[in-house]
Amino acid sequence: MEIILRKRWRICLLTAGLALLFCASGGWNPAAGSWLDKVKETVKKTVEKKQPKTKTGVTAVRGLDESEDAGEGARDYEALKILEAIHITDLELDAFLLEGGIKP
Amino acid sequence: MTRVKLLSLMTAAVVLSGWTGVKAKDVKWGKVIKGVAKTASAVKGINEEDEIKIGRAAAAALCDRYGLVTEKTSLRYMNLVGKAVARRSERPGLTYRFGILDTNEVNAFAAPGGYVFVTKGLLRSVRNESELAGILAHEISHVTCKHVIKEIQKSKLIGAGLDFASAVAKNPEVLERAGDLSVKVLMKGLSRKDEYEADREGTALVWKVGYDPRGLKRVIERMGKKQARKVKIFSRIGKTHPPASQRVKRIGKQLKSARIIENPNWPGLETRFRENLADLDF
């Protein structure tokens, strides 16, 4: 049993696996309209249906390009300016930490 | 060479030639090498200046989506705590901004370039300044580790062979689209690996500053308990972060392995926290 597993079965499994990879990657191209073409087309259509497209038609990458609930386009730069107007010096930070009992 | 190895090699060669559909002699190797080099440069292609621009666009989108709390005392306090932590981080040169989003949702966001936001809902479950520092340190670590930027680099937004600056020069909309993409990444949540990394780095950072390093762990523990009770407003953070129990376990291990002995003098700073955020009607 061990010998069989080591030799014939291993060769068979390896060849079958590689052959599958070969077919799946389009290495084997039988005449157009064959059963394999039909299978390929069905798989392609199913995958396309499941993959959301962006506005630009680019298929989503790890779901990142999905137009989910994130607001697109609308931005409030005025609000952001309030944050950007806050300036704190290193001396102020040191005093703040010291006041809280933390050695800067 | 054994028969098996020989057969495997031969099959692999046939498969590879079929797979690529290209004969080796037809390959223009010069072009292939140039293409690989260009792709590699695109991966590196977002410099700090671009990162800040993307982060600004994302931050403005978050402000529009949730609204920004504008009470001066609260904002200044958030920035004092955040900046005190950030200046001991791996990227101290970056200008960090810390904002409070006006929503009951419980979450925090770190847009690229140093724009960090905590929601009002999350602040309500924080008890003292050490815990706030822990949360901000976690978010700062997302910025220093460039987690969102790495996600943008993985996307198809930047054309192959282009660096970000060239992509923006070609189409200025790319910048705003990168901002939108950042918001989507933040809404969907980063990978568990990134979240654990931010927990680890954040805990170490807050300890380096001098705050109680158990702050982040305590907030996560509290949130975990509320999640378990299925409080609706906690649903968002539950979706965007790994399970609280796992995070608590990992931070606990980190504290143990770093031999952090509990120090009774670690300042929790509960009173200062309450006083400065009193505007937020807790």
Side-chain angles (χ1 to χ4, degrees):
Chain A
M1 185 64 187
E2 205 180 327
I3 294 163
I4 290 170
L5 269 175
R6 270 191 189 166
K7 288 187 176 175
R8 288 180 197 166
W9 278 105
R10 209 157 66 172
I11 293 168
C12 285
L13 280 172
L14 186 70
T15 316
L18 290 171
L20 260 174
L21 182 69
F22 177 70
C23 292
S25 59
W28 178 42
N29 283 310
S34 72
W35 63 272
L36 187 67
D37 275 356
K38 282 174 192 167
V39 172
K40 273 184 183 174
E41 212 168 295
T42 315
V43 171
K44 202 179 163 189
K45 274 182 187 172
T46 317
V47 170
E48 274 176 1
K49 264 185 196 174
K50 285 190 176 174
Q51 285 283 350
K53 298 265 184 176
T54 59
K55 283 176 187 170
T56 50
V58 179
T59 308
V61 179
R62 289 182 60 202
L64 290 185
D65 296 329
E66 287 172 36
S67 55
E68 215 208 24
D69 51 352
E72 252 180 58
R75 287 172 225 285
D76 188 351
Y77 282 107
E78 289 306 308
L80 204 56
K81 280 177 189 166
I82 297 170
L83 277 191
E84 289 169 341
I86 299 170
H87 291 291
I88 293 166
T89 63
D90 269 351
L91 280 175
E92 283 174 304
L93 287 179
D94 290 345
F96 175 74
L97 287 174
L98 275 173
E99 193 190 282
I102 299 165
K103 207 175 160 188
Chain B
M1 187 180 282
T2 64
R3 271 190 299 175
V4 176
K5 280 181 186 169
L6 190 64
L7 188 68
S8 306
L9 274 175
M10 281 168 67
T11 321
V14 172
V15 167
L16 276 174
S17 64
W19 191 9
T20 55
V22 178
K23 287 176 187 170
K25 65 175 182 180
D26 295 336
V27 177
K28 290 174 180 168
W29 291 105
K31 277 192 176 180
V32 170
I33 292 162
K34 272 185 191 172
V36 170
K38 273 187 175 180
T39 311
S41 75
V43 171
K44 291 178 194 163
I46 301 179
N47 60 32
E48 195 168 291
E49 198 185 326
D50 296 331
E51 187 191 337
I52 294 166
K53 285 179 189 166
I54 295 168
R56 198 167 187 270
L62 286 170
C63 288
D64 182 79
R65 184 184 167 92
Y66 293 109
L68 185 77
V69 170
T70 53
E71 273 91 9
K72 280 184 182 170
T73 316
S74 313
L75 275 187
R76 188 167 174 79
Y77 175 68
M78 278 283 293
N79 280 273
L80 279 165
V81 179
K83 283 172 190 272
V85 175
R87 74 173 172 171
R88 302 292 302 271
S89 73
E90 295 292 314
R91 297 175 74 189
L94 214 55
T95 308
Y96 291 83
R97 323 270 183 193
F98 299 88
I100 304 167
L101 295 174
D102 197 0
T103 169
N104 288 329
E105 256 180 40
V106 179
N107 217 339
F109 305 102
Y115 290 88
V116 174
F117 295 93
V118 178
T119 64
K120 228 171 156 179
L122 177 56
L123 283 177
R124 282 200 185 100
S125 56
V126 176
R127 300 257 167 91
N128 59 39
E129 193 174 301
S130 284
E131 292 185 1
L132 174 63
I135 293 169
L136 295 180
H138 169 97
E139 297 306 323
I140 290 164
S141 300
H142 278 311
V143 177
T144 56
C145 298
K146 299 187 179 184
H147 288 151
V148 175
I149 287 296
K150 282 174 189 166
E151 290 299 320
I152 293 172
Q153 284 167 335
K154 281 181 206 163
S155 78
K156 288 180 181 173
L157 184 70
I158 308 166
L162 286 177
D163 63 13
F164 190 76
S166 316
V168 173
K170 210 173 167 188
N171 178 9
E173 274 183 25
V174 168
L175 181 70
E176 301 245 307
R177 287 200 342 240
D180 288 333
L181 189 55
S182 304
V183 176
K184 282 174 188 170
V185 170
L186 296 171
M187 292 296 155
K188 276 195 168 296
L190 292 155
S191 69
R192 286 184 177 205
K193 190 177 148 254
D194 289 351
E195 290 299 342
Y196 290 138
E197 188 179 17
D199 281 347
R200 195 176 57 243
E201 297 292 318
T203 301
L205 175 59
V206 98
W207 186 38
K208 201 159 79 176
V209 179
Y211 280 109
D212 184 344
R214 299 163 300 176
L216 179 64
K217 185 173 162 252
R218 283 179 177 156
V219 183
I220 297 169
E221 255 168 347
R222 206 170 300 130
M223 287 192 310
K225 280 176 191 164
K226 286 183 180 171
Q227 267 171 20
R229 277 188 263 135
K230 290 184 181 172
V231 179
K232 206 180 173 186
I233 52 167
F234 280 84
S235 56
R236 173 68 78 179
I237 204 161
K239 278 180 196 169
T240 57
H241 288 73
S245 57
Q246 285 299 311
R247 297 176 71 192
V248 167
K249 207 172 158 186
R250 280 168 184 254
I251 297 173
K253 264 188 187 173
Q254 182 191 358
L255 294 175
K256 212 174 173 183
S257 67
R259 298 190 180 181
I260 296 171
I261 302 156
E262 286 193 24
N263 180 354
N265 296 323
W266 271 327
L269 300 167
E270 191 174 343
T271 314
R272 184 158 86 170
F273 174 79
R274 294 271 159 210
E275 279 171 5
N276 281 285
L277 297 180
D279 294 340
L280 302 183
D281 45 272
F282 285 152

